[in-house]
Amino acid sequence: MLDYDREADAYDATRGGVPRAEAAAAAVLGLVPDRARTLLDIGCGTGLVTERLRRPGLRVLGCDGSYGMARKAAGRIGGFVVLGDVTRLPLHDAAVDAVSAVWLLHLVPRSEAAVAEAARVLRPGGVFVTTVDKDAGHDVDSDIDTVLRPHRSFAAASDRADRIERYAAAHGLRPTGGAEFTGHGQGRTPRGAATALSAGRFRSWFTDPHGATARALAGRLALLPGQDTRRPDPSYTLRAFRKEG
């Protein structure tokens, strides 16, 4: 797991920057009803997406568990950022009209608790919008994926769509739509994938990050053509859920 306090200043440059953030924000806003007046972006990170979740009449708040990230976000969206655990949000019940969680739940082992908290702070009729299947979205059927796919398993992913839908239903949230958007700047290169694999990344789906299999796969990736040529960008999936009542 990254040290997000230390990564805050350099984080955006390694995550697709503004184009990726704009695509995410536009897709989220497309699922937030026009009547919404307050939106809480949980796991807001540096606020790069959060500051773009704006439209007339909508007040946007951010929440993140990392002081470094929250400080960065506060610089972007003003004083409307709180430091807090997404599984224990520092808000009253029925406090906001919408909650968004972009690239968050795959990092939260207790993702049901985060979904439950989103439901708690939503007003009746409010909407929870979240990315699902984040890691699976990086399989773009490239030659890199051909090498890695036999060793992938997303069965335990904490943001698996069917799992999030089940949690949502258990906490009074019903499906109300979905969308997809492009992860601009996140296409992988063979060299980058090999380096990440050798460094023990991909822990969410690869069960042997430092073993012989990882070394063998990194070796196969090193033989692919265009070592520094990015493969297609991933496509991310959003799901929206409406609170009953």
Side-chain angles (χ1 to χ4, degrees):
M1 182 71 74
L2 289 176
D3 182 334
Y4 287 99
D5 286 339
R6 296 182 63 181
E7 291 284 332
D9 289 336
Y11 189 81
D12 294 334
T14 65
R15 297 298 191 280
V18 170
R20 180 177 181 245
E22 288 181 339
V28 169
L29 285 175
L31 296 170
V32 175
D34 291 340
R35 66 180 180 276
R37 291 293 173 263
T38 49
L39 181 150
L40 173 68
D41 188 32
I42 61 174
C44 68
T46 67
L48 195 65
V49 174
T50 318
E51 71 172 333
R52 289 166 173 78
L53 293 172
R54 295 187 181 278
R55 66 186 183 205
L58 182 65
R59 183 187 182 198
V60 179
L61 315 171
C63 177
D64 201 273
S66 158
Y67 175 80
M69 291 288 192
R71 175 182 53 80
K72 194 83 171 178
R76 285 193 160 116
I77 65 173
F80 305 113
V81 177
V82 295
L83 189 66
D85 184 342
V86 297
T87 66
R88 296 182 63 186
L89 292 171
L91 273 76
H92 296 300
D93 294 356
V96 295
D97 299 313
V99 175
S100 58
V102 179
W103 306 306
L104 170 68
L105 297 185
H106 69 292
L107 298 171
V108 183
R110 295 175 57 240
S111 56
E112 182 173 8
V115 174
E117 278 293 272
R120 181 184 66 78
V121 302
L122 278 174
R123 297 186 178 111
V127 173
F128 174 47
V129 181
T130 182
T131 46
V132 295
D133 296 327
K134 192 264 186 183
D135 288 331
H138 281 269
D139 187 336
V140 296
D141 204 25
S142 69
D143 52 353
I144 296 173
D145 297 309
T146 298
V147 171
L148 298 179
R149 191 178 294 130
H151 303 275
R152 283 174 168 154
S153 174
F154 301 115
S158 57
D159 71 335
R160 210 174 70 193
D162 61 337
R163 180 168 286 143
I164 300 307
E165 289 166 4
R166 187 169 67 252
Y167 296 159
H171 296 282
L173 301 173
R174 296 292 175 258
T176 188
E180 293 186 355
F181 64 94
T182 300
H184 297 290
Q186 292 294 284
R188 289 183 174 138
T189 67
R191 193 187 312 279
T195 299
L197 194 61
S198 298
R201 298 272 298 278
F202 308 149
R203 290 178 182 275
S204 62
W205 54 260
F206 189 60
T207 58
D208 184 28
H210 293 294
T213 301
R215 291 192 294 273
L217 291 177
R220 290 181 59 190
L221 291 170
L223 297 176
L224 294 178
Q227 280 289 296
D228 297 309
T229 299
R230 288 193 179 277
R231 277 37 175 184
D233 289 327
S235 179
Y236 298 121
T237 300
L238 287 169
R239 291 283 186 270
F241 304 90
R242 182 178 182 274
K243 185 173 181 177
E244 296 179 327

